[in-house]
Amino acid sequence: MGLLYHTSLCVLDLERAAAFYDKVLATIGAKRIWDIAPLAVGYGREGEDASFWLQSPDHMPFLRPAVSGHFAFKVETPELVLAFYETALSLGAESMLEAKLHDDMPGYFGTVVKDLDGHLPECFAMVDVPKA
């Protein structure tokens, strides 16, 4: 089991953020598994708990919208990373780190985008790199 049970982002426009993440997370096999809109939606993979949440400020009084939250989704293949990246860009995200194999991190094939609320989701896969 991972260290975190779930991550939650407080967003001003839940409908807009959910429309973005519905499509982006579908590329990596995740979907809405909790839907209590307009308060919150939770995402996960089939058979898992919702580990990624979007919440409106009305859901819990102690939540406040923020920007520049950074979180990472680990996937199995570079193709999934590319699908995540291309879908995010097609929906208006900004590329912060191109989806590719990065020389400074051996075996790391990843990307970071800036979503519509200014958060920075990362998607990566670890790949075998032949030794020189």
Side-chain angles (χ1 to χ4, degrees):
M1 177 185 284
L3 179 63
L4 295 176
Y5 178 69
H6 71 261
T7 297
S8 179
L9 297 179
C10 184
V11 296
L12 287 174
D13 187 337
L14 181 70
E15 185 177 318
R16 179 182 69 135
F20 177 85
Y21 280 101
D22 284 349
K23 291 178 180 155
V24 172
L25 294 179
T27 66
I28 61 171
K31 64 181 182 177
R32 276 192 212 194
I33 56 176
W34 275 91
D35 190 339
I36 54 172
L39 298 176
V41 295
Y43 296 88
R45 292 189 175 113
E46 194 68 39
E48 296 179 358
D49 292 329
S51 57
F52 178 72
W53 286 82
L54 300 171
Q55 300 190 43
S56 79
D58 296 329
H59 189 229
M60 295 181 184
F62 52 83
L63 295 176
R64 299 287 182 268
V67 295
S68 296
H70 175 72
F71 42 93
F73 301 105
K74 185 176 183 184
V75 297
E76 298 299 317
T77 68
E79 292 79 16
L80 292 172
V81 174
L82 287 169
F84 177 97
Y85 180 73
E86 291 167 359
T87 301
L89 294 184
S90 76
L91 295 169
E94 179 183 344
S95 177
M96 304 306 287
L97 184 66
E98 184 181 355
K100 66 178 187 175
L101 189 61
H102 293 272
D103 295 334
D104 58 336
M105 297 176 273
Y108 172 88
F109 189 102
T111 186
V112 177
V113 298
K114 184 186 287 186
D115 75 9
L116 307 177
D117 290 293
H119 297 292
L120 303 160
E122 175 178 354
C123 184
F124 75 96
M126 296 306 294
V127 298
D128 290 329
V129 178
K131 303 231 191 262

